[in-house]
Amino acid sequence: MERLETQLGYTFHDRTLLENALTHSSYANENHSPGGSNERLEFLGDSVLGMVTAAFLYRTHPDLPEGDLTRTRAALVCEESLVEVAEALDLGRYLRLGRGEDSGGGRNRVSIRADAVEAVIAAVYLDGGLEEARKIIQRFILDREAEKSASRDHKTALQELVQRESGQVLAYQLVDQSGPDHAKVFTVEVCLNGKSLGRGTGHSKKEAEQMAAKAAVAKLTQKKA
């Protein structure tokens, strides 16, 4: 438990809450665990996670409409996202599973690990309050997502943006190249349905396309704002 607390960055006052968060129903049933399984904590953790994430998106995206906020929140709190948290914490090794579930690969089961993450969030909330739970969610979900978004491919981001409406056609065109062979500079223009969205330069065509896409995303985002 101490090692997991170190990984979480939080020390429990009541460690039985953490133990309960790691207790699968198979273990609780086999051992008649007085605290029961982590299912009730999972229920609470789901709500805490959703609320903290919603508040974060509301503050950081003041111009985003309700539908986009809902979709973004769903992506952040989905099972896949929670499993990434479980992997970062190596949570599988700490789970208390029944013998059958354990031998059947329960420690690697996606649903079990995702549920345990929600239960741990609830345990932190009950032990230390909303602010401590928010810190866990910020560190392991919201900050990680921000890092992924920052490093995301600009062309992919542009494609996702324009695909929100059907019938959109993106095209990249090399419009200029200059400089000696060892230090060429390329200029690429990206067009949407034949209309220019932006230009970018780079020392390769791919780099120039990325810069053009970045400019186009900025232009489209400003228009919507």
Side-chain angles (χ1 to χ4, degrees), residues 57 61 63-76 160-161 164 224:
L57 293 174
H61 298 283
D63 299 317
L64 211 59
E66 183 271 341
D68 288 343
L69 288 170
T70 299
R71 284 188 288 273
T72 304
R73 180 182 61 181
L76 286 170
E160 291 174 353
L161 194 59
R164 293 178 181 176
K224 291 193 174 185

Side-chain angles (χ1 to χ4, degrees), residues 41 49 67 74 77 87 92 105 121 133 144-146 166 170 191 211:
L41 285 175
L49 173 59
V77 304
E87 290 175 350
I121 289 171
R144 288 163 64 89
E145 183 60 28
S166 60
L170 276 176
C191 297
M211 292 301 99

Side-chain angles (χ1 to χ4, degrees), residues 4-105:
L4 179 54
E5 286 177 333
T6 299
Q7 290 171 302
L8 279 170
Y10 179 78
T11 301
F12 278 81
H13 303 287
D14 180 3
R15 196 174 282 172
T16 60
L17 284 168
L18 180 57
E19 292 174 354
N20 188 215
L22 301 170
T23 302
H24 187 254
S25 57
S26 60
Y27 180 95
N29 293 335
E30 281 186 15
N31 295 274
H32 306 290
S33 176
S37 73
N38 63 3
E39 291 175 353
R40 284 171 53 83
L41 285 175
E42 174 204 337
F43 164 78
L44 177 59
D46 177 70
S47 295
V48 173
L49 173 59
M51 188 274 289
V52 169
T53 303
F56 171 80
L57 293 174
Y58 184 84
R59 291 194 307 269
T60 57
H61 298 283
D63 299 317
L64 211 59
E66 183 271 341
D68 288 343
L69 288 170
T70 299
R71 284 188 288 273
T72 304
R73 180 182 61 181
L76 286 170
V77 304
C78 70
E79 192 172 68
E80 180 181 352
S81 177
L82 294 176
V83 168
E84 289 181 3
V85 178
E87 290 175 350
L89 292 170
D90 196 15
L91 203 59
R93 69 180 297 175
Y94 303 104
L95 293 174
R96 302 205 295 179
L97 304 175
R99 289 185 295 273
E101 189 67 58
D102 198 0
S103 63

